[in-house]
Amino acid sequence: MDEEHLHDDLQVFKDRNFFRLKLKSFVTIYLLLALSFLLTFTLFAVSLSRVSAINSKLQEVPPGQSHNVSSRDFLLFPCGPGSREWEYFGGKCYYFSLTRTSWHKAKARCEEMHSQLAVIDSYAKQSFVMFRTRNERFWIGLTDENSEGEWEWVDGTDYKTTFTFWKEGEPNNSGNNEDCAHLWVSGEWNDVYCTYECYYICEKLVPK
Ligand SMILES: *[C@@H]1O[C@H](CO)[C@@H](O)[C@H](O)[C@H]1NC(C)=O
Ligand SMILES: *[C@@H]1O[C@H](CO)[C@@H](O)[C@H](O)[C@H]1NC(C)=O
Ligand SMILES: [Ca+2]
Ligand SMILES: [Ca+2]
């Protein structure tokens, strides 16, 4: 009888011990879980603060400057990604006008765009503009209005020692009134009166 009691007591004791051990391992698991939650939360908070810091930095940049010009843009558009109407050739940029005007107004318009009427000083340049103008008439930066027959380039390039591409029989100073030069049929040069209205070619150095 007594022995049986003792056995029962031992059993209860064993069960209790088992329960305690189980509880201990549960606590450990809970602690580990809590720790990993804490870690995850901390990482999340840190990354969130980083993102918001970057975001506020981006917003600090004024809208105009956030469009930063990369060197790739300049490879695609040597004359500047912001001025795609300018065409690159041989270290310079050329603008072929879409409207017609007199020689003096054309000269002024080029100057407004920080450029000058084109100075055609080589056959390479002549070929380039000729291909682009396709028989249309375009003013170039050449005039003899200061002194009849003494042609001058707008940038001071010496006319007498430089390339020319006049059409045969030109310049003829027709009617004693032809003092401005333009590309004529097949790209050859002709002198015409300066108030004649035609397209024009501006030229400038590649922007730095
Ligand atoms: C654009 O990026 C270059 C580096 O690629 C940097 O030197 C320049 O300051 C930036 N300009 C602006 C306006 O952010
Ligand atoms: C002189 O040049 C003009 C164009 O500017 C042309 O129309 C005219 O036929 C030329 N005259 C002669 C005689 O070649
Ligand atoms: Ca003349
Ligand atoms: Ca002529």
Side-chain angles (χ1 to χ4, degrees):
M1 228 9 186
D2 256 20
E3 224 171 80
E4 211 165 283
H5 250 267
L6 196 74
H7 185 259
D8 276 1
D9 278 356
L10 205 70
Q11 191 60 44
V12 166
F13 178 76
K14 265 186 182 167
D15 281 355
R16 266 193 193 162
N17 215 18
F18 176 75
F19 186 70
R20 255 186 214 152
L21 272 173
K22 221 164 191 183
L23 197 74
K24 238 186 188 174
S25 69
F26 266 129
V27 166
T28 318
I29 285 168
Y30 275 127
L31 271 173
L32 277 173
L33 265 176
L35 207 72
S36 64
F37 268 123
L38 203 74
L39 262 171
T40 313
F41 179 77
T42 317
L43 278 174
F44 180 72
V46 164
S47 52
L48 200 74
S49 72
R50 285 234 175 124
V51 164
S52 69
I54 288 165
N55 212 18
S56 64
K57 244 185 207 167
L58 279 178
Q59 278 166 357
E60 269 171 31
V61 180
Q65 284 190 357
S66 63
H67 294 283
N68 201 350
V69 171
S70 70
S71 51
R72 189 179 145 273
D73 287 338
F74 268 103
L75 278 180
L76 286 170
F77 305 101
C79 296
S83 48
R84 295 178 189 185
E85 65 276 19
W86 290 81
E87 293 174 32
Y88 178 84
F89 177 77
K92 287 187 177 167
C93 297
Y94 296 86
Y95 173 81
F96 297 87
S97 82
L98 299 172
T99 56
R100 291 175 238 223
T101 191
S102 69
W103 190 85
H104 282 280
K105 279 187 183 161
K107 183 173 179 281
R109 286 203 191 151
C110 290
E111 284 161 6
E112 279 164 22
M113 295 189 284
H114 309 289
S115 63
Q116 62 181 29
L117 278 173
V119 172
I120 316 295
D121 54 9
S122 70
Y123 184 70
K125 224 158 150 183
Q126 172 67 32
S127 303
F128 165 69
V129 296
M130 222 157 55
F131 174 75
R132 186 60 184 64
T133 53
R134 295 173 196 275
N135 284 340
E136 267 302 342
R137 292 155 199 208
F138 280 78
W139 289 125
I140 56 175
L142 186 59
T143 178
D144 77 335
E145 67 179 355
N146 284 338
S147 173
E148 179 51 42
E150 306 234 338
W151 290 91
E152 292 174 284
W153 288 107
V154 287
D155 70 344
T157 295
D158 183 37
Y159 172 77
K160 283 181 187 137
T161 59
T162 317
F163 169 87
T164 59
F165 204 69
W166 294 107
K167 184 180 165 63
E168 210 185 319
E170 306 290 350
N172 65 1
N173 200 37
S174 178
N176 282 322
N177 190 32
E178 293 191 326
D179 296 339
C180 291
H182 61 180
L183 299 195
W184 210 19
V185 186
S186 68
E188 291 177 298
W189 305 353
N190 170 50
D191 59 341
V192 74
Y193 54 95
C194 296
T195 53
Y196 179 81
E197 296 200 335
C198 68
Y199 301 105
Y200 52 95
I201 309 166
C202 303
E203 171 187 74
K204 67 177 180 183
L205 288 171
V206 175
K208 296 263 160 73

